[in-house]
Amino acid sequence: MPYQGTADEGFGAVADAFARNFDEGGELGAAVTVFVNGRKAVDLWGGTADDRTGRPWDEATVLPVMSCAKAVVSVCVLLLAEEGRLDLDAPVADCWPEFARHGKEGITPRMVLAHTAGIPLAERTLTFEELTAWTPVIRALEEQSPLWEPGTAYEYHAHAFGFLLGEVVRRLTGLTPGRYFRRAVADDLGLRTWIGLPPEELPRLARLVEADGRPPLPDPDLLPMRALTMNGALPFPGLDDPHGYNAPALLTAEFPGAGAVSSARGLAALYAAVATGVDGGPRLLGADTVTDMVRRQSGGASWSGLPDFGARWGTGFLLDSPFRRLLGPRSFATSGAGGQFAFGDDEFGVGFAYTANLMGGSGDQRCARLITALRACLGAPEPRPLD
């Protein structure tokens, strides 16, 4: 058997799909967790956490989950909105006055959450040391002019998303987003999910490996690549670079747009907490908040000319879309480079997460197999056609 853990009666198809990923998909190490109506129905892990040493993946293993960090930040922002401390449709400058420069006066938190704010990056070149110091990034974003009229076009705000919304969190709470998340959410729920990994967790970290045959990356001078690399200050993927996604220097710092570290169980529990509450506890966000966040805000071809890859965005989360079919119109998700994926759905009472250290490319079906199996276990209808 290639894995350990448990799957409740009625969820054997998810376990079968997980095993198939090892047998047919070349899986190295991975985990999948599913909560249904607030309790764990599936919790599986297996394979190798570190291909250099052969260290096995165990239930305490964590790994970089890339842009699944955006779920952490979005939940923090939506919590503050639900508490009445933040208006998603009022200017960011209401809580961050220095932001109101160079045409950014009307940018709202919702525009950032929907990747339509017009500032997918700070074009000022910053060093890695400046990126980890927080304030230099914030100053660069204050000086940045929008590349288009805010709210009128879509472009993925890879790292800017986290710093912009993270500074909103900091202005309202006095804490950077990673620290606020631990205090407001993660510590109470016991989540093994961080933005800014504690150094004592480094021995439990899985090592990311690129799959053979991944397609070459686009021109690094293209806007989407510059947004991913913060104008070349971060390698991408550059896993074993001193500042790459296997490097403690990056993972122990706060990169709130794409630098989270988590277990599958931690991410699944976060989504379950939003969808239903966990183990009888209250929901983290109310049904009205979820209704608001699953309304489509953006998607399609990007401002810079990238084709439509099928992603559709609500407020802070991916929606059920051609990019990744989920359970239905109440599903909300985040995706991380190389295959990390998590979603929730309050109609079906689900919190789901899949994490893997073999970074797949286009055509990777590992997570899609698991979601298809889960859909069958839940008796959810086959996906309807989408735009």
Side-chain angles (χ1 to χ4, degrees):
M1 183 179 293
Y3 61 83
Q4 296 176 272
T6 59
D8 285 356
E9 185 176 354
F11 290 90
V14 177
D16 291 343
F18 190 64
R20 183 182 170 195
N21 283 343
F22 284 91
D23 294 340
E24 301 177 17
E27 196 78 274
L28 178 60
V32 61
T33 302
V34 182
F35 283 78
V36 179
N37 296 324
R39 59 180 298 275
K40 274 184 292 186
V42 178
D43 194 28
L44 305 171
W45 61 89
T48 302
D50 190 328
D51 65 317
R52 298 168 303 180
T53 66
R55 173 168 55 91
W57 194 297
D58 63 31
E59 65 176 316
T61 297
V62 296
L63 77 165
V65 293
M66 308 299 209
S67 284
C68 290
K70 292 177 174 66
V72 172
V73 174
S74 295
V75 165
C76 291
V77 170
L78 292 166
L79 274 173
L80 292 169
E82 201 167 79
E83 292 169 0
R85 300 169 69 182
L86 177 67
D87 183 341
L88 298 181
D89 298 305
V92 167
D94 283 1
C95 63
W96 177 6
E98 299 90 338
F99 187 71
R101 303 178 190 172
H102 312 299
K104 301 193 300 298
E105 294 83 357
I107 291 175
T108 66
R110 194 184 301 275
M111 291 176 190
V112 183
L113 288 159
H115 301 269
T116 64
I119 42 175
L121 79 165
E123 300 212 58
R124 184 199 301 175
T125 299
L126 299 167
T127 66
F128 182 82
E129 289 71 26
E130 287 174 319
L131 294 179
T132 62
W134 190 271
T135 299
V137 184
I138 301 311
R139 296 291 173 262
L141 290 167
E142 289 171 354
E143 295 302 321
Q144 177 69 35
S145 298
L147 301 185
W148 63 85
E149 181 182 349
T152 65
Y154 161 76
E155 185 81 42
Y156 190 60
H157 287 44
H159 287 283
F161 179 104
F163 283 107
L164 289 165
L165 295 170
E167 182 65 6
V168 169
V169 170
R170 194 187 72 83
R171 295 285 174 135
L172 293 173
T173 69
L175 298 171
T176 53
R179 293 178 180 178
Y180 176 71
F181 173 69
R182 294 301 310 180
R183 189 184 76 176
V185 178
D187 287 344
D188 286 346
L189 292 175
L191 304 184
R192 292 183 53 72
T193 304
W194 297 269
I195 294 176
L197 183 69
E200 60 270 21
E201 292 289 340
L202 287 169
R204 300 174 179 88
L205 189 66
R207 179 176 180 270
L208 297 175
V209 178
E210 283 198 80
D212 292 336
R214 289 191 76 200
L217 293 170
D219 183 341
D221 292 329
L222 292 176
L223 175 63
M225 287 304 296
R226 292 194 294 116
L228 280 171
T229 65
M230 299 287 280
N231 267 339
L234 297 176
F236 189 85
L239 299 177
D240 293 319
D241 185 278
H243 299 153
Y245 279 92
N246 281 328
L250 187 149
L251 300 175
T252 57
E254 286 205 31
F255 284 95
V261 174
S262 185
S263 64
R265 190 184 298 168
L267 280 178
L270 174 62
Y271 274 90
V274 173
T276 63
V278 175
D279 292 334
R283 287 182 66 162
L284 198 56
L285 298 173
D288 289 347
T289 297
V290 173
T291 298
D292 181 58
M293 79 190 196
V294 297
R295 292 191 181 101
R296 179 175 168 176
Q297 302 292 325
S298 67
S302 79
W303 177 84
S304 67
L306 284 180
D308 181 1
F309 294 117
R312 303 292 180 262
W313 287 90
T315 296
F317 292 90
L318 285 164
L319 307 179
D320 183 27
S321 65
F323 173 78
R324 175 69 45 83
R325 298 312 313 269
L326 302 173
L327 299 181
R330 299 290 294 186
S331 295
F332 51 96
T334 48
S335 177
Q340 325 305 332
F341 196 81
F343 80 94
D345 189 298
D346 64 352
E347 178 182 355
F348 290 94
V350 165
F352 168 100
Y354 164 74
T355 61
N357 59 348
L358 182 71
M359 294 184 67
S362 60
D364 183 0
Q365 292 298 306
R366 293 172 296 172
C367 186
R369 285 190 191 114
L370 294 167
I371 295 172
T372 298
L374 176 61
R375 188 183 297 117
C377 295
L378 296 169
E382 288 298 307
R384 60 183 176 82
L386 293 172
D387 296 336

